[in-house]
Amino acid sequence: MWNETISIQGPYNFELVLERLSLDPLQCIEIENRLVKVPLNVKGNPEVISIQAIGTTDTPKFIVLGENVSTKGEVFSRIKEIFHWHIPLENIHQHFSGTKLNTIFEEHKGTALILDFDYFSCLVKCIIHQQLNLSFAHTLTERFVHTYGFEKDGTWFYPSPDRVAAIPVEELRDLQFSTRKAEYVIGLATEISEGRLDLDSLKEKSDNEVTQTLIKLRGIGNWTAENFLLFGLGRPNLFPKADIGIQNALKKLLQLPEKPTIEEMEVLSTEWAPYLSYASLYLWRSIEKRSVKS
């Protein structure tokens, strides 16, 4: 076992981070202890990493507890990447202070862009969530992981690509997957399992190269590719204009009579670059149920 204490630049509101993560029933979170357990596959071995906040929003501080000393460097680097501890949020808040999004950036100050814990689960989740309401999407994802993944220390791991590639379509149909959605998930896993798709290599590619690689796969369009860029790779300048949630958030925030068109969103978003991903995050955050007060 090992543990490391890290202090980062504020603002960083871990309560709001945990609250957003808790929307996913698969997350292992202890709100009262300000703690989340992160399932990581490290060199082929599952490790559960505990992250606990011990600081404040203005002076954030965390204890990171890991299992294997030999993988500490790799794990700690990945955790900092997942929780975006390397990005000073103050600079981003200043960028939005004079924009139409200033109100929601003040209300949700310190909400960081948190990445999915691995690339494969991010894409699988995106495919499952396509064209489903959020509640059923979470239910379907939970059934999938509980059936084919595994649990360690109270934390759920998604199944590996090799495991998913071997699942018959009919079994996913029994979980209430549509035939196409089942084929898309199994097809993605097969591409990875048989060596035709290397998700790790996408980290080094441009946004456009990642998109062009992914949309060649059945079941992956621009929406899924954009979500992977945002929540898989943590790219800072993504604004999924076709996303209904973002459209509804803008309609509410700007008190528009109807949802903005793609063209109107293009104009509105011009001044938010190069941090469009944060504009997206805070717009989503503004219409999500919120119980934590900062």
Side-chain angles (χ1 to χ4, degrees):
M1 298 290 289
W2 59 268
N3 71 77
E4 188 83 26
T5 300
I6 181 172
S7 297
I8 65 171
Q9 181 180 331
Y12 192 102
N13 191 322
F14 200 58
E15 277 70 24
L16 292 183
V17 169
L18 290 180
E19 188 183 52
R20 190 159 208 277
L21 285 173
S22 70
L23 296 172
D24 183 346
L26 286 166
Q27 301 287 0
C28 184
I29 291 171
E30 298 175 16
I31 295 289
E32 64 281 3
N33 293 322
R34 309 175 71 201
L35 181 147
V36 60
K37 292 181 179 179
V38 178
L40 290 183
N41 283 296
V42 187
K43 298 178 179 177
N45 296 313
E47 295 189 32
V48 176
I49 313 302
S50 173
I51 317 293
Q52 184 171 29
I54 57 173
T56 65
T57 297
D58 292 329
T59 56
K61 193 173 184 179
F62 305 91
I63 296 174
V64 182
L65 179 66
E67 295 184 27
N68 191 337
V69 174
S70 67
T71 59
K72 176 182 174 181
E74 182 178 345
V75 166
F76 199 64
S77 176
R78 178 60 179 157
I79 289 297
K80 287 193 285 187
E81 184 178 35
I82 287 171
F83 288 92
H84 261 53
W85 288 343
H86 61 300
I87 305 293
L89 291 180
E90 182 59 38
N91 298 345
I92 294 168
H93 281 282
Q94 289 297 324
H95 176 78
F96 285 95
S97 63
T99 73
K100 290 182 172 66
L101 299 187
N102 178 60
T103 302
I104 59 174
F105 269 80
E106 286 300 317
E107 183 179 358
H108 307 285
K109 191 169 186 178
T111 301
L113 176 62
I114 308 302
L115 306 189
D116 285 311
F117 301 148
D118 72 80
Y119 299 151
F120 178 60
S121 66
C122 178
L123 273 175
V124 167
K125 188 164 66 173
C126 285
I127 291 172
I128 292 175
H129 280 231
Q130 289 171 6
Q131 298 179 324
L132 295 179
N133 68 67
L134 190 59
S135 176
F136 184 63
H138 282 314
T139 297
L140 200 57
T141 308
E142 192 174 20
R143 287 176 188 167
F144 173 77
V145 174
H146 284 179
T147 303
Y148 300 106
F150 62 92
E151 188 180 14
K152 179 180 179 180
D153 192 21
T155 306
W156 280 97
F157 286 74
Y158 275 69
S160 69
D162 288 349
R163 174 72 180 95
V164 177
I167 300 172
V169 169
E170 293 74 20
E171 287 190 11
L172 292 185
R173 290 276 297 155
D174 289 342
L175 298 182
Q176 288 192 286
F177 277 66
S178 68
T179 299
R180 284 188 177 181
K181 199 177 290 287
E183 290 173 347
Y184 297 159
V185 169
I186 294 167
L188 167 68
T190 301
E191 290 295 305
I192 297 167
S193 180
E194 296 182 356
R196 291 186 292 273
L197 176 63
D198 178 9
L199 293 182
D200 288 336
S201 71
L202 298 181
K203 186 177 179 181
E204 310 304 323
K205 297 181 182 293
S206 69
D207 290 357
N208 184 60
E209 288 172 328
V210 172
T211 299
Q212 293 308 310
T213 298
L214 291 179
I215 63 174
K216 292 175 184 176
L217 304 174
R218 285 189 68 217
I220 295 183
N222 285 322
W223 182 87
T224 298
E226 285 179 322
N227 273 272
F228 178 77
L229 283 164
L230 212 167
F231 294 113
L233 298 177
R235 298 294 168 84
N237 204 36
L238 270 294
F239 193 62
K241 292 182 284 292
D243 186 272
I244 300 299
I246 289 178
Q247 294 172 5
N248 285 331
L250 281 170
K251 178 178 181 289
K252 178 183 177 182
L253 176 68
L254 303 179
Q255 298 182 323
L256 303 174
E258 54 190 37
K259 289 182 294 187
T261 64
I262 299 297
E263 292 74 20
E264 289 170 334
M265 293 173 73
E266 187 71 46
V267 173
L268 282 168
S269 64
T270 302
E271 64 176 345
W272 304 333
Y275 300 119
L276 288 173
S277 294
Y278 288 87
S280 304
L281 174 66
Y282 279 71
L283 284 164
W284 280 317
R285 173 78 275 197
S286 72
I287 58 172
E288 289 168 352
K289 181 180 178 182
R290 185 181 183 194
S291 59
V292 174
K293 302 299 181 183
S294 55

